[in-house]
Amino acid sequence: MLTVLLGLSGALVYGFADFLGGLASRRLRAVTVTAVAAAVGIVPLLLGLVVVGGEFTGTAVLWGAVAGASGGVAVLLLYRALAIGPMSVLSPLTAVFAAVVPVLVAVFRGTALSGLAVAALVVAVVAVVLVAAVRDTSGARVTVGGLVTAAVAGCGFGGIVLAYDMTPSDSGVAPLVVARVLQAVLLGTAAVVSGPVARSGGTADPATEAVLAGSAAPPGPSGRRPVRLLVTVVACGVLDALANVFVQAGLHSSEDPATLPVMSVLNALYPIGTVVLAGVVLRERLTAVQWTGIALALAASVGLALA
């Protein structure tokens, strides 16, 4: 039960962070927002290091670095995929790979899952696809390059979960600090190399961009925009760091080998947090497909808790 609660909490907080990142990406390029948010996220993790402690052992640093590199590369590949292909296809594909890759690794390691757990994981993966399903009016065509890039990006996101799972249970937030610093460096370098800070194209997280597209949210007084933008990016970075804390805590919440596949699939449900917050803040309406996905996600969560 604790693992499921932590997994769902991490997914929701991830979704909230992506929603705020999507808002900020209306003014700035997505890679810039992601880089700044990653840098901001270092601060709460350092505070957590002081409060709860952490051990920078060789294993903790190694797998923290793997998580940071995997996440940074995955984000950049995701942007590349969405630049060359339709979001409606590549977004769910990325989410599925992010969910399934850790499950396959766990099964390869010899993890035995009950029938109920297998059924719940399958339902959860279907829920991921439905919630991440977006409308795409760009007219972009599906290409082999786009599919491969999206799949590799999904593997990268799944790699974050695998790396955190390999960190020592007594390492505290030390691996998270290492991962966040490396990710900030990678994305910061990409943001500097790729050009101007102001938004001139590109996209935010696929689910976020879909939810925010066409929103009629008022822009607010121009004098307040820089402050609101700064607050939005800072909140995005803090929430994203908190989500990683939930993920690592969930992975180490139980000695049950099934914890890894459960956390990986629940973590991939982050679009739920995005669409829910968009409905509350921007009064966006969820599609029937997304409502179905949310219902299946809840059913899958109950099944995983009982398995």
Side-chain angles (χ1 to χ4, degrees):
M1 176 61 75
L2 178 59
T3 300
V4 174
L5 290 176
L6 289 171
L8 289 176
S9 297
L12 287 175
V13 175
Y14 262 136
F16 294 162
D18 283 339
F19 171 81
L20 296 174
L23 287 180
S25 295
R26 292 175 164 186
R27 302 289 179 184
L28 304 173
R29 290 181 306 125
V31 66
T32 302
V33 172
T34 308
V36 175
V40 168
I42 298 173
V43 177
L45 291 177
L46 289 177
L47 292 176
L49 189 64
V50 172
V51 175
V52 303
E55 295 292 335
F56 287 92
T57 62
T59 304
V61 171
L62 170 62
W63 289 109
V66 171
S70 182
V73 172
V75 169
L76 296 176
L77 287 176
L78 175 61
Y79 293 156
R80 174 58 182 166
L82 296 181
I84 62 177
M87 186 185 305
S88 57
V89 174
L90 302 185
S91 170
L93 179 64
T94 300
V96 167
F97 270 84
V100 170
V101 166
V103 176
L104 295 178
V105 171
V107 172
F108 180 78
R109 291 177 183 173
T111 299
L113 300 173
S114 67
L116 178 58
V118 171
L121 289 173
V122 171
V123 171
V125 171
V126 174
V128 169
V129 175
L130 297 180
V131 176
V134 295
R135 296 175 182 175
D136 192 296
T137 58
S138 64
R141 300 179 61 183
V142 177
T143 63
V144 174
L147 292 174
V148 172
T149 303
V152 176
C155 292
F157 289 125
I160 299 175
V161 178
L162 288 171
Y164 285 151
D165 182 60
M166 295 298 295
T167 59
S169 58
D170 59 351
S171 60
V173 297
L176 301 179
V177 173
V178 174
R180 184 62 42 153
V181 170
L182 182 55
Q183 190 171 10
V185 170
L186 289 175
L187 294 175
T189 301
V192 171
V193 171
S194 60
V197 173
R199 188 181 191 277
S200 59
T203 183
D205 172 85
T208 307
E209 187 73 5
V211 170
L212 299 179
S215 170
S222 59
R224 298 179 182 177
R225 287 178 183 173
V227 175
R228 289 183 177 180
L229 180 59
L230 177 61
V231 171
T232 301
V233 175
V234 168
C236 173
V238 171
L239 290 175
D240 189 70
L242 178 60
N244 280 269
V245 173
F246 278 123
V247 171
Q248 189 193 42
L251 288 167
H252 294 305
S253 64
S254 172
E255 297 296 329
D256 189 341
T259 300
L260 172 58
V262 169
M263 283 297 300
S264 68
V265 174
L266 292 178
N267 184 58
L269 289 171
Y270 69 90
I272 291 179
T274 302
V275 297
V276 168
L277 197 57
V280 173
V281 176
L282 303 180
R283 297 181 180 179
E284 295 286 340
R285 293 185 178 180
L286 276 68
T287 65
V289 171
Q290 288 174 320
W291 274 118
T292 302
I294 291 176
L296 289 178
L298 293 176
S301 300
V302 173
L304 290 172
L306 296 176

